[in-house]
Amino acid sequence: MTPPSARTPFVVVAGPLAAGKSAVSRRLADGLRADGHQLALVELDQIADMARPTLSDWADAHRIFASVTAQWLEVGLDLVIAESVSDRAEHERVLRNVPAGTPAFTIVLDCDVDTALARARSDPSRGLSRDEGFLRRAHARWAEQLPQIPADLRLDSDTTSIDESVQRIRTLVEEQIGR
């Protein structure tokens, strides 16, 4: 556990729909837990699932996501991972709730829209993101947002495997916090 005098490191995983944010975040969390680390993985979809199918506004899920993430940063874990940030406003909302002095890292995953579409269509648990028009519009919005999101690490999930992505994230975090 993080000593009381130190701040829990925070990793934000951002990217468009079907870029691999969930897969990378879960693999990162599983590997760190297997190494004995205590951490929280906060996923926007899990927050939204608490109110589905009656969720009236995704803005509520985003607000709660940011709040829950900030709460986990206060309990002395070794790391908190927030997964599913997909635009600049969401990135800012999540970081606005982070306690001062928290080592925060933004990881941006990206991929080609055709790769994302193939991934979404092969995943039966996906809903609207399987619709080609919706996904293409979401990726176009992401492309506009991408230059506005400061990243500590950018990864192309078309060319970087999940395991390589996880290793690069771990290396970045460990180098920056001296663990």
Side-chain angles (χ1 to χ4, degrees):
M1 294 269 292
T2 299
S5 62
R7 284 286 181 194
T8 297
F10 179 47
V11 172
V12 178
V13 181
L17 292 169
K21 298 180 304 291
S22 294
V24 168
S25 296
R26 289 177 187 151
R27 184 84 52 93
L28 175 63
D30 290 346
L32 289 166
R33 286 177 177 137
D35 290 345
H37 294 284
Q38 294 181 335
L39 63 102
L41 171 57
V42 185
E43 298 174 274
L44 176 61
D45 285 345
Q46 281 184 330
I47 299 294
D49 283 346
M50 292 175 184
R52 283 187 193 161
T54 59
L55 179 65
S56 60
D57 189 345
W58 269 89
D60 294 333
H62 286 276
R63 183 179 46 75
I64 294 165
F65 171 71
S67 177
V68 168
T69 299
Q71 293 298 310
W72 279 116
L73 286 165
E74 295 289 347
V75 300
L77 298 172
D78 296 325
L79 181 71
V80 173
I81 303 166
E83 180 271 317
S84 210
V85 171
S86 59
D87 65 30
R88 180 185 53 78
E90 177 68 17
H91 185 255
E92 289 174 359
R93 183 181 304 112
V94 168
L95 291 179
R96 189 171 35 247
N97 288 308
V98 171
T102 299
F105 306 93
T106 299
I107 311 305
V108 172
L109 294 178
D110 203 2
C111 70
D112 180 77
V113 67
D114 292 320
T115 300
L117 183 59
R119 289 175 182 163
R121 286 188 169 165
S122 69
D123 181 352
S125 70
R126 288 191 175 266
L128 192 54
S129 63
R130 297 175 83 186
D131 176 85
E132 182 173 356
F134 176 82
L135 189 71
R136 287 192 184 281
R137 287 188 300 276
H139 272 252
R141 282 190 305 276
W142 168 253
E144 293 171 2
Q145 295 286 311
L146 182 58
Q148 302 170 41
I149 299 175
D152 296 290
L153 181 62
R154 293 186 188 276
L155 300 166
D156 182 342
S157 65
D158 284 321
T159 58
T160 308
S161 71
I162 293 172
D163 288 333
E164 182 181 346
S165 295
V166 166
Q167 187 53 53
R168 291 184 62 191
I169 296 166
R170 285 184 74 150
T171 299
L172 171 73
V173 172
E174 290 167 355
E175 284 175 354
Q176 296 298 315
I177 62 174
R179 290 187 186 173

